């Protein structure tokens, strides 16, 4: 008998975006308030897991055609690249830089290379969590 | 690097090209390429005779490991030269003999000559090195190449057994010698033998002196097959006969003799040296000659005979050491023993080499070495028979051969022990001449057995594999040369007296300034006790040889169980089984047992450190006030943890574990760590769901049980907890410096433009750690992926996905 998950699926459609927004908030706010790449990444993958629970694996991979193992690699590249970029400016590995930049839409924005590093962490965490859950889930 | 060094390593260099010569010139016997080298070396060393005859020496140095003060110093003095001449001279003869002995179509000649050259070079290195470490290096090279040569016919089980046995025993001795060398270095600060000899008076009272002496002697005794380490030599007879003739009669087994002679100036003043060297020597002499009589294999007789002759030389060296205790070394009354040792060393090399070659010829031409099958070969092999007569009569000590002279001198040396009044020699010293005489009787018997059982008596063609005939001339040249030496030295001993013997003696017992040893060997020295001893040996020997079948049963009285070989085999087996059992005892394959070891070690090491260093301290002065919420949470977490131990179902344990995790995140909340609390909350959720997943896939148990109580486990877990608590408390109470946290508080915004200090530390101040932590996560994910996807058993269908 096939159950009808219409309430779950509808609720998911609503809640998903709230969770994703919250995780993005936590990620970006990490430098000033509790949060950061790690928790942000975990929350994003939490949102995807919710999607997995409400729908099935095939649908989710159609909605999000992402290879999570590539995601891990890209995340690591981001982190290491941020660190290695410092070498170009003749400062030690992983020396971060920050400054205020006038951007066209956002106006005066504080930019920090640590965010790029954190983005690497974020991507790796999402990739790792999703790889683990997906592999175990697909396993018979 | 001088010509002398080149001469020493030339065999190694030639060994490199031997396989090439073997592959390229298959028609020519490889031995012909080898033969020129020992001849060349022999003539080269002859050129040193003019120097050493004046009892002078030549030293050439070459830096090897300068930072450790190790130099390859080559020193040619009387003793070194004597050995070099033996090595190269007999080496040349053995190579010539082996050319006819080994078939070029049936044998692996390349390996044979490589090993042989390796051995020759190593042996030259041993006798010419002045540096003890270099000597040791070459020493192990001889053990190693001898191992290879004994196991030359490696498809035979007995060869492998003999090779292994000789390896174990000689390497055991070699390592002990290395220990002795290091002890000598500790005492003197140098590896140079010359310098150590110069300091020998100062180190005499050093507490390390006696251990060094014992270690060095152990090395010498094992190498020279002294009782009870002689057991490897008879088993080494599985080697091809040229090898036995070369290594196990003339050269390698004399390396120990060389070592004792070389180190005599250092140690000989000590009474222990005299007693050990002379004592072991005389016992070996007796035991070797006694055992030789019961052997039935030609080479086994020769092996035991070698053992006994080596014992004889050794005992002479020991007795000779006594001479150093008397004021004047010049008085030749006691130094005669050393002269006899050197003289007999030369003689033994000549006649034993030729006898081995004779045994090889008999084996080669009849197909057997068993004296029970042989007999009456005299008519088929007249030349071989003549050679055997010369060799055995020299060995038995009959005139006019050289063995007679050295045996007379041996008796002289032994009889003169009676006149010594040092080291209790006046009480037990009489044993030396008595044992020497008895052993000589046995020597006479087995010498006669060797020659007469083989060549006379009834010819038994039905027992022989081949029809016997005289050996080819090439095979006979070498033993003929050696036998002629036996006779020449026998008739004109004084041609080597002042060229070889005295210089060697000068090296063994350095004389006072300006004194020159002058050895004179006489055929006839009047009606002395030793002459009557020789006559007695001959009379009793003939008598016993004639009645041998009647008293042979004496040997049956020695039970097989007491044999040293049985002891050796048993020891190997017992040690093997014991180590196997010991390993099986503690390596039982259960992780729980290994955890017990690890935790026990943990408890013992840490608790002992706390106790010994008196480090436990409990100080409440800087403890924060305790809030009631903390107490509540602690009680909760303790309750949950303890309940896990007693619950029946796994599901409950998992949920309780989750409860512990969430309580921890609550702890983070009240200890004001929001980042940690967030992370802990999410991670705990994920891990609990993974646990549930694992639980879901577990095989169904019939009934779930709670953990069974085990006293050891309880004790260990309580112990670990207690130790960790004690360490935590004392670490907290022993705080010596302020935290560096203040720096972060001040600089988080100023330097890193952030306000969340935790995150700034994670990505900025200490971002390096974070980088590798996410790498760890990535590896874990890949690991899980690989573990689940790659199932190689049914993996074919996954292969191309």
């Amino acid at each position: 008998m096939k159950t009808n998950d219409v309430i779950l699926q509808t609720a998911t459609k609503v809640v998903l975006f709230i969770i994703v927004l919250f995780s993005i908030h936590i990620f970006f706010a990490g430098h000033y308030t509790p949060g950061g790449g790690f928790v942000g990444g975990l929350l994003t993958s939490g949102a995807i897991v919710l999607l997995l629970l409400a729908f099935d694996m095939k649908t989710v991979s159609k909605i999000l055609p992402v290879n999570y193992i590539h995601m891990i690699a890209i995340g690591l590249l981001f982190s290491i690249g941020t660190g290695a970029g410092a070498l170009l400016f003749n400062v030690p590995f992983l020396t971060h830089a920050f400054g205020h930049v006038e951007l066209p839409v956002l106006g005066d924005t504080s930019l920090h290379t640590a965010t790029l590093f954190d983005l690497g962490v974020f991507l790796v965490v999402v990739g790792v969590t999703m790889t683990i859950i997906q592999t175990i889930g697909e396993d018979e | 690097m001088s010509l002398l060094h080149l001469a020493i390593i030339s065999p190694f260099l030639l060994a490199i090209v031997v396989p090439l010569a073997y592959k390229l010139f298959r028609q020519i016997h490889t031995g012909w390429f080898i033969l020129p080298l020992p001849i060349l070396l022999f003539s080269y060393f002859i050129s040193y005779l003019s120097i050493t005859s004046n009892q002078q020496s030549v030293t050439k140095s070459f830096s090897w490991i300068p930072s450790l003060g190790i130099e390859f110093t080559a020193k040619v003095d009387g003793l070194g030269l004597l050995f070099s001449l033996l090595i190269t001279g007999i080496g040349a003869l053995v190579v010539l003999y082996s050319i006819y002995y080994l078939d070029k179509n049936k044998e692996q000649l390349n390996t044979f000559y490589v090993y042989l050259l390796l051995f020759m070079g190593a042996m030259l290195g041993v006798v010419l090195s002045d540096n003890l470490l270099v000597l040791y290096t070459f020493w192990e090279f001889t053990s190693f190449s001898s191992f290879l040569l004994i196991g030359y016919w490696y498809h035979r089980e007995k060869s492998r057994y003999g090779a292994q046995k000789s390896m174990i025993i000689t390497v055991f001795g070699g390592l002990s010698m290395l220990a002795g060398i290091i002890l000598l270095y500790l005492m003197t600060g140098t590896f140079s033998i010359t310098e150590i000899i110069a300091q020998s008076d100062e180190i005499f009272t050093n507490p390390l002196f006696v251990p060094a002496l014992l270690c060095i002697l152990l090395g010498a005794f094992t190498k020279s097959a002294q009782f009870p380490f002689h057991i490897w030599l008879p088993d080494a007879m599985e080697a091809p006969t040229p090898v036995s003739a070369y290594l196990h009669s003339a050269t390698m087994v004399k390396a120990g003799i060389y070592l004792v002679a070389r180190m005599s100036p250092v140690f000989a003043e000590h009474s222990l040296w005299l007693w050990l060297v002379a004592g072991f020597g005389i016992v070996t002499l007796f035991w070797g000659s006694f055992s030789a009589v019961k052997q039935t294999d030609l080479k086994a007789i020769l092996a035991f005979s070698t053992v006994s002759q080596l014992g004889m030389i050794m005992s002479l060296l020991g007795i000779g050491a006594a001479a150093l205790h008397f004021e004047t070394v010049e008085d030749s009354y006691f130094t005669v023993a050393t002269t006899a040792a050197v003289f007999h060393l030369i003689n033994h090399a000549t006649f034993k080499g030729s006898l081995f070659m004779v045994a090889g010829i008999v084996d080669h031409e009849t197909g057997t070495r068993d004296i029970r099958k042989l007999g009456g070969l005299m008519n088929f092999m007249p030349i071989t028979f003549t050679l055997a007569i010369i060799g055995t009569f020299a060995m038995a000590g009959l005139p006019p051969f050289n063995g007679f002279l050295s045996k007379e001198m041996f008796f002289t040396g032994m009889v003169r022990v009676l006149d010594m009044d040092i080291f209790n020699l006046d009480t037990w010293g009489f044993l030396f001449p008595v044992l020497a005489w008895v052993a000589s009787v046995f020597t006479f018997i087995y010498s006669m057995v060797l020659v007469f059982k083989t060549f006379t008596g009834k010819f038994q063609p039905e027992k022989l594999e081949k029809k016997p005939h005289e050996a080819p001339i090439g095979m006979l040249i070498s033993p003929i040369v050696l036998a002629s030496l036996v006779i020449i030295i026998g008739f004109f001993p004084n041609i080597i007296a002042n060229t070889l013997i005295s210089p060697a003696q000068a090296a063994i017992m350095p004389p006072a300034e300006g004194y020159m040893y002058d050895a004179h060997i006489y055929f006839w020295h009047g009606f002395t006790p030793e002459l009557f001893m020789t006559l007695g040996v001959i009379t009793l020997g003939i008598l016993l040889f004639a009645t041998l079948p009647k008293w042979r049963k004496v040997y049956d009285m020695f039970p097989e169980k007491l044999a040293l070989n049985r002891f050796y085999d048993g020891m190997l087996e017992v040690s093997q089984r014991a180590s196997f059992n010991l390993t099986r005892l503690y390596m039982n394959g259960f992780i729980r047992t290994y955890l017990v070891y690890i935790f026990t070690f943990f408890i013992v090491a840490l608790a002992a450190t706390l106790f010994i260093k008196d480090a436990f301290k409990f100080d409440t002065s800087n403890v924060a006030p305790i809030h009631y919420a903390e107490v509540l949470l602690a009680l909760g977490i303790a309750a949950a943890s303890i309940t896990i131990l007693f619950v029946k179902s796994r599901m409950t344990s998992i949920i309780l574990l989750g409860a512990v995790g969430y309580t921890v995140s609550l702890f983070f909340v009240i200890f004001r760590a929001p980042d940690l609390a967030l992370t802990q909350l999410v991670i705990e959720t994920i891990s609990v769901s993974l646990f549930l997943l694992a639980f879901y896939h577990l095989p169904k148990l019939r009934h779930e049980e709670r953990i069974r109580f085990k006293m050891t486990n309880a004790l260990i877990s309580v112990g670990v907890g207690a130790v960790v608590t004690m360490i935590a408390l004392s670490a907290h109470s022993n705080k010596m410096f302020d935290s560096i946290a203040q720096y972060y508080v001040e600089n988080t915004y100023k330097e890193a433009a952030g306000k969340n200090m935790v995150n700034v530390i994670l990505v900025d101040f200490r971002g390096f750690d974070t980088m590798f932590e996410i790498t760890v996560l990535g590896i874990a994910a890949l690991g899980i992926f690989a573990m689940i996807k790659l199932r190689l058993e049914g993996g074919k269908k996954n292969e191309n996905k």
Side-chain angles (χ1 to χ4, degrees):
Chain A
M1 191 185 82
K2 196 167 161 35
T3 50
N4 194 344
D5 292 336
V6 71
I7 295 175
L8 177 64
Q9 291 180 349
T10 317
T12 301
K13 283 172 193 163
V14 179
V15 171
L16 181 75
F17 292 100
I18 300 171
I19 301 177
V20 169
L21 277 178
F22 181 59
S23 72
I24 291 172
H25 165 75
I26 276 220
F27 166 68
F28 277 113
H31 224 54
Y32 296 100
T33 54
F38 199 85
V39 187
L42 282 177
L43 283 175
T44 306
S45 36
I48 306 175
V49 169
L50 184 62
L51 212 56
L52 278 174
L53 288 175
F55 301 91
D56 58 317
M57 217 138 255
K58 240 178 221 162
T59 325
V60 175
S61 56
K62 208 178 282 170
I63 301 167
L64 293 170
V66 181
N67 184 335
Y68 293 107
I69 291 177
H70 290 179
M71 199 179 219
I72 301 175
I74 292 166
L76 283 174
L77 273 179
F78 259 102
S79 300
I80 296 166
T82 316
L87 296 176
L88 295 178
F89 300 96
N90 219 7
V91 284
F93 187 73
L94 261 179
T95 308
H96 288 302
F98 58 89
H100 291 266
V101 184
E102 201 69 39
L103 285 182
V105 184
L106 299 168
D108 177 40
T109 318
S110 156
L111 288 183
H112 199 311
T113 52
T115 314
L116 285 175
F117 185 83
D118 230 9
L119 181 65
V121 176
F122 179 90
L123 290 173
V124 169
V125 170
V126 174
V128 165
T129 326
M130 291 321 295
T131 310
I132 293 173
I133 288 172
Q134 237 178 20
T135 357
I136 295 178
E138 279 172 2
D139 184 44
E140 294 305 311
Chain B
M1 184 176 274
S2 63
L3 192 61
L4 183 57
H5 288 105
L6 197 68
I8 293 172
I9 62 165
S10 60
F12 293 102
L13 298 178
L14 184 61
I16 298 174
V17 296
V18 165
L20 262 174
Y22 176 72
K23 287 279 179 229
L24 291 181
F25 306 100
R26 290 305 288 261
Q27 281 74 35
I28 309 167
H29 196 286
T30 318
W32 292 114
F33 298 107
I34 316 297
L35 190 57
L37 181 75
I39 296 176
L40 209 68
L41 287 175
F42 185 74
S43 25
Y44 172 70
F45 284 119
I46 286 279
S47 71
Y48 279 94
L49 269 182
S50 55
I51 302 168
T52 57
S53 291
N54 298 323
Q55 299 177 16
Q56 302 295 314
S57 64
V58 180
T59 310
K60 291 269 165 58
S61 202
F62 170 71
S63 208
W64 185 29
I65 312 176
S67 58
L68 296 179
I70 299 172
E71 297 202 329
F72 184 1
T73 310
K75 182 179 179 188
V76 186
D77 61 357
L79 188 65
L81 186 69
L82 166 64
F83 272 92
S84 311
L85 289 174
L86 282 180
I87 292 160
T88 50
I90 295 183
L93 295 174
V94 162
V95 171
L96 179 67
Y97 177 78
S98 70
I99 292 173
Y100 290 91
Y101 188 85
L102 295 172
D103 194 310
K104 69 167 178 264
N105 298 317
K106 289 182 196 156
E107 306 285 357
Q108 288 280 320
L109 289 176
N110 51 348
T111 53
F112 180 80
Y113 286 110
V114 167
Y115 302 161
L116 200 72
L117 282 171
L118 221 63
F119 173 77
M120 192 185 288
M123 205 59 213
L124 278 178
V126 166
V127 299
L128 292 176
S129 297
D130 188 52
N131 188 297
L132 278 172
L133 274 189
V134 177
L135 186 146
Y136 172 73
T137 312
F138 283 117
W139 182 279
E140 290 298 8
F141 251 120
T142 64
S143 298
F144 166 67
S145 49
S146 147
F147 166 77
L148 291 171
L149 283 166
I150 297 170
Y152 177 64
W153 286 313
Y154 52 82
H155 45 85
R156 296 186 191 165
E157 209 235 323
K158 287 187 84 178
S159 293
R160 297 197 302 269
Y161 172 78
Q164 187 204 35
K165 193 175 189 178
S166 74
M167 186 76 164
I168 289 176
I169 294 178
T170 53
V171 168
F172 162 71
L175 285 176
S176 133
M177 188 181 106
L178 178 63
I181 290 172
I182 294 168
L183 289 176
L184 275 177
Y185 179 75
L186 290 179
M187 286 188 282
T188 60
T190 174
F191 286 118
S192 160
I193 299 175
T194 320
E195 287 171 37
I196 290 174
I197 290 174
Q199 297 184 33
S200 59
D201 289 338
E202 294 146 43
I203 60 174
F204 188 72
T205 49
N206 196 307
L208 294 179
F209 184 80
V210 172
L213 186 155
L214 293 176
C215 284
I216 298 262
L217 271 190
L218 189 59
F221 285 171
T222 50
K223 197 76 162 181
S224 276
Q226 298 296 299
F227 187 88
F229 307 111
H230 66 276
I231 49 172
W232 66 267
L233 192 59
D235 282 306
M237 290 302 127
E238 289 303 316
T241 304
V243 172
S244 312
Y246 190 36
L247 274 68
H248 306 130
S249 72
T251 52
M252 188 179 89
V253 287
K254 296 211 170 89
I257 304 266
Y258 169 80
L259 189 71
V260 167
R262 182 54 90 202
M263 302 311 279
S264 275
V266 184
F267 294 116
E269 294 269 346
H270 205 283
S271 63
L272 202 57
W273 176 268
L274 188 150
W275 271 106
L276 283 176
V277 175
F280 271 93
I282 203 88
V283 170
T284 312
L285 165 64
F286 171 73
W287 187 251
S289 61
F290 178 70
S291 307
V293 178
K294 72 172 169 182
Q295 306 300 324
T296 53
D297 181 282
L298 280 181
K299 278 175 87 175
I301 299 178
L302 288 173
F304 277 105
S305 133
T306 305
V307 169
S308 98
Q309 306 271 324
L310 290 170
M312 171 173 163
I313 301 173
M314 199 63 100
S315 67
L316 281 169
L317 281 175
I319 296 298
L324 290 177
H325 292 276
F326 301 98
E327 286 302 314
T328 48
V329 164
E330 290 79 1
D331 179 11
S332 68
Y333 192 63
F334 292 118
T335 55
V336 69
T338 313
T339 317
V342 177
F343 188 37
H344 194 72
L345 186 110
I346 303 169
N347 295 344
H348 177 248
T350 54
F351 65 68
K352 193 50 70 64
S354 76
L355 280 177
F356 266 110
M357 292 175 185
V358 164
I361 291 171
V362 170
D363 186 16
H364 206 262
E365 304 306 334
T366 64
T368 182
R369 297 194 309 247
D370 194 327
I371 51 169
R372 286 167 300 189
K373 295 181 185 166
L374 295 166
L377 294 179
M378 188 164 65
N379 298 327
F380 300 94
M381 307 171 143
I383 305 175
T384 319
F385 173 60
T386 318
L387 294 170
I389 284 275
I390 297 170
T392 45
F393 279 24
M395 185 157 75
L398 297 178
F401 305 110
N402 59 8
F404 170 72
L405 300 168
S406 47
K407 181 142 290 182
E408 291 278 277
M409 290 171 80
F410 167 59
F411 283 148
T412 313
M414 289 298 150
V415 169
R416 285 179 184 175
V417 170
L418 298 175
D419 297 338
M420 291 183 190
D421 48 1
I422 47 168
F423 306 151
N424 296 330
L425 274 174
D426 42 353
T427 47
W428 290 101
F430 76 92
L431 275 178
F432 282 101
V434 171
L435 271 176
W437 188 78
V438 175
S440 297
V441 173
F442 280 107
T443 307
F444 184 88
I445 299 169
Y446 72 69
S447 300
M448 295 307 116
V449 168
L450 196 65
V451 64
F452 289 116
K453 294 268 162 149
T454 313
F455 292 99
T456 62
K458 217 171 117 253
F459 178 53
Q460 302 159 299
E462 70 282 355
K463 288 186 182 171
L464 301 179
E465 291 166 23
K466 300 176 187 170
K467 194 174 155 22
H469 57 83
E470 188 55 273
I473 183 67
M475 223 175 197
L476 287 169
I477 294 175
S478 303
I480 287 174
V481 171
L482 286 172
S484 343
L485 276 176
V486 169
I487 297 175
I488 293 169
I489 296 174
F491 278 108
F492 311 104
N494 289 319
I495 55 168
I496 60 164
N498 279 329
T499 46
L500 287 173
I501 297 177
S502 302
Q505 194 174 0
I508 299 171
M509 293 194 289
E513 198 68 42
Y515 178 78
M516 296 266 279
Y517 282 105
D518 188 14
H520 265 293
I521 299 158
Y522 306 102
F523 238 107
W524 177 254
H525 24 204
F527 291 100
T528 48
E530 45 269 33
L531 182 71
F532 293 114
M533 282 168 87
T534 305
L535 287 177
V537 166
I538 296 173
T539 326
L540 193 65
I542 292 174
L543 208 69
L544 283 174
F545 174 63
T547 55
L548 181 61
K550 286 185 183 132
W551 60 270
R552 241 193 121 85
K553 291 189 190 73
V554 172
Y555 286 104
D556 299 335
M557 280 162 48
F558 289 91
E560 192 69 6
K561 265 188 181 165
L562 284 178
L564 284 163
N565 272 324
R566 280 285 286 268
F567 177 70
Y568 165 84
D569 292 338
M571 207 172 65
L572 268 195
E573 204 192 304
V574 165
S575 63
Q576 223 163 43
R577 205 174 332 128
S579 60
F580 177 72
N581 285 340
L582 183 71
T583 314
R584 211 177 41 178
L585 199 68
Y586 71 90
M587 299 288 279
N588 61 2
F590 292 117
I591 290 185
R592 56 171 181 262
T593 320
Y594 302 150
L595 285 177
V596 167
Y597 302 151
I598 294 170
F599 284 127
T600 314
F601 178 79
F602 179 91
I603 295 170
V604 171
L606 294 181
T609 314
L610 270 185
F611 181 73
I612 292 165
K613 293 274 173 195
D614 199 18
F616 182 71
K617 208 161 109 187
F618 187 53
D619 178 15
T620 50
S621 61
N622 56 354
V623 173
I626 301 169
H627 198 256
Y628 72 95
E630 290 156 20
V631 178
L632 272 181
L633 283 178
L635 283 176
I637 215 168
S641 324
I642 292 169
T643 322
I644 291 178
L645 296 178
F646 297 102
V647 293
K648 248 186 167 180
S649 105
R650 289 163 175 161
M651 182 71 103
T652 327
S653 322
I654 293 169
I655 290 168
L656 282 170
L657 206 60
V660 169
Y662 290 130
T663 323
V664 168
S665 81
L666 281 181
F667 262 117
F668 287 143
V669 171
I670 62 168
F671 287 132
R672 283 166 295 168
D675 294 86
L676 288 184
L678 267 175
T679 316
Q680 171 70 23
L681 213 60
V682 185
I683 288 293
E684 191 60 39
T685 312
I686 292 179
S687 56
V688 166
S689 47
L690 285 178
F691 263 128
L692 286 174
L693 190 74
F695 167 76
Y696 180 73
H697 287 290
L698 274 181
K700 276 271 178 287
L701 284 180
R702 206 169 304 150
H703 44 88
E704 290 191 324
E705 270 182 17
R706 65 168 57 113
I707 310 172
R708 267 184 299 156
F709 180 78
K710 281 196 194 118
M711 198 57 193
T712 27
N713 292 3
L715 280 178
I716 286 170
S717 56
V718 169
V720 169
V723 165
V724 171
T725 312
M726 264 154 56
I727 289 174
L729 288 176
S730 13
H732 185 263
S733 312
N734 281 326
K735 257 185 195 162
M736 289 177 166
F737 306 104
D738 289 335
S739 156
I740 58 162
Q742 199 53 38
Y743 171 82
Y744 293 118
V745 175
E746 282 163 8
N747 291 300
T748 299
Y749 191 69
K750 209 162 62 188
E751 299 280 337
K755 285 175 185 158
N756 178 356
M757 201 167 78
V758 174
N759 202 43
V760 168
I761 289 174
L762 281 181
V763 300
D764 202 336
F765 288 124
R766 308 194 53 178
F768 210 59
D769 297 348
T770 313
M771 203 174 86
F772 286 105
E773 273 151 23
I774 58 176
T775 315
V776 168
L777 281 181
I779 291 169
L782 290 182
I784 288 172
F785 184 78
M787 234 159 48
I788 289 177
K789 296 282 176 184
L790 275 179
R791 286 184 187 150
L792 289 179
E793 275 166 305
K796 277 275 181 271
K797 57 177 187 277
N798 284 332
E799 210 166 62
N800 296 321
K801 270 188 183 169

